Amino acid sequence: MTNTGMSRVAIVTGAARGIGAGTAVRLAADGHAVAVLDLDENACKDTVERITAAGGRALAVGADVSDADQVARAVDRVADELGPPLVLVNNAGVIRDNLLFKMTDADWDTVIGVHLRGAFLMSRAAQAHMTAAKFGRIVNLSSSSALGNRGQANYSAAKAGLQGFTKTLAIELGPFGVTANAVAPGFIATDMTAATAARMKVDFETFQKGAAEHIPVRRVGTPEDIAHTISFLVSEGAGFVSGQVIYVAGGPLD
Ligand SMILES: NC(=O)c1ccc[n+]([C@@H]2O[C@H](COP(=O)([O-])OP(=O)(O)OC[C@H]3O[C@@H](n4cnc5c(N)ncnc54)[C@H](O)[C@@H]3O)[C@@H](O)[C@H]2O)c1
């Protein structure tokens, strides 16, 4: 355990794997009780076991973040079983890449629904607990794709939208002791980037090597790189950092 601060209840969405799993494990090691939320409750078990094996507290919660009823039920359940959630990491995400002329209505709606509507529904449900406690930390996962990326009109719009959403939450919730920030990762090795490599018919190792050549620190990122930044943003001491977008990409982005 690297427990150095207060113990809170945290919800990490999309925490069955990838960046969400890494973040859930890290926040548990920091001393928080963590609700590991993903579409399928069973898929959360690996992350929960990693946390409990290390001596932490975790709860598997199945919910679709784009569904208002499921979100309300999930947040209520976390409050009942772990305590009021005062830390929220909106990490759940999907990609449906296609060039604009081939992008379907469903590709658009799914991506906007999970990232933007999902972050909205989760934040609205969780803020009730945070404002009551006069403390809260919200972190939204944006992306370097917010700056524009070929084949990702839906995803880049959602990730840029999350930056505006984050700044507005910071303004509205700041008076209640709640901060909101966005972390915008560059290339992180996860199932999501592996799927992109597969779609482009490139072996994942080769794909990562190619990406690393264009990254100043000459490597791709890991879920732990993102978890470290999120750990800072949700810490007690980060209470004066709000409404920021932090690119975690191994170099500057323009
Ligand atoms: N991997 C990268 O390079 C990268 C870069 C920038 C931003 N991001 C963002 O970071 C976040 C995590 O990405 P990742 O690479 O770990 O992806 P991933 O695909 O490995 O994991 C995403 C998780 O979200 C879950 N999820 C999807 N839809 C959901 C829904 N409706 N409700 C609940 N859970 C849902 C999935 O089941 C999965 O477990 C995403 O928001 C992604 O857009 C990733």
Side-chain angles (χ1 to χ4, degrees):
M1 300 274 273
T2 55
N3 188 352
T4 49
M6 290 274 292
S7 175
R8 310 277 186 191
V9 173
I11 301 177
V12 182
T13 71
R17 67 185 200 191
I19 293 170
T23 300
V25 167
R26 173 59 190 266
L27 296 189
D30 289 345
H32 304 294
V34 182
V36 175
L37 187 150
D38 212 294
L39 280 172
D40 172 11
E41 187 168 319
N42 272 324
C44 298
K45 289 202 171 128
D46 276 1
T47 308
V48 168
E49 274 165 23
R50 279 171 68 190
I51 290 172
T52 49
R57 265 179 89 203
L59 173 72
V61 180
D64 176 346
V65 297
S66 67
D67 182 301
D69 290 341
Q70 291 187 38
V71 164
R73 275 201 300 274
V75 173
D76 283 351
R77 192 181 150 208
V78 172
D80 287 347
E81 295 187 32
L82 289 179
L86 302 187
V87 174
L88 171 64
V89 182
N90 286 310
N91 166 85
V94 288
I95 47 173
R96 294 286 185 276
D97 296 359
N98 241 327
L99 293 175
L100 180 63
F101 77 101
K102 287 194 277 189
M103 189 170 282
T104 66
D105 297 8
D107 291 337
W108 178 268
D109 291 343
T110 299
V111 168
I112 299 295
V114 175
H115 295 270
L116 269 182
R117 183 178 159 82
F120 158 65
L121 292 173
M122 288 296 307
S123 302
R124 190 181 59 182
Q127 61 76 33
H129 298 284
M130 297 177 184
T131 53
K134 294 277 189 289
F135 177 92
R137 297 279 186 265
I138 298 174
V139 177
N140 297 315
L141 269 287
S142 180
S143 168
S144 54
S145 294
L147 301 165
N149 198 26
R150 186 178 155 82
Q152 293 196 315
N154 50 3
Y155 185 81
S156 62
K159 292 309 198 185
L162 278 170
Q163 296 189 7
F165 176 67
T166 300
K167 291 174 193 186
T168 299
L169 292 191
I171 292 165
E172 291 189 14
L173 300 177
F176 302 93
V178 180
T179 66
N181 292 284
V183 173
F187 188 117
I188 311 299
T190 67
D191 289 326
M192 186 179 275
T193 37
T196 303
R199 197 169 38 78
M200 294 168 84
K201 298 192 178 14
V202 185
D203 153 76
F204 192 36
E205 282 297 315
T206 313
F207 192 60
Q208 291 182 65
K209 274 200 186 114
E213 281 168 21
H214 303 285
I215 299 171
V217 301
R218 293 291 187 272
R219 67 170 177 89
V220 299
T222 64
E224 290 69 33
D225 287 318
I226 304 307
H228 194 72
T229 308
I230 294 173
S231 169
F232 162 71
L233 288 171
V234 308
S235 67
E236 298 293 311
F240 208 53
V241 182
S242 197
Q244 300 305 301
V245 178
I246 304 183
Y247 284 89
V248 183
L253 296 167
D254 50 10

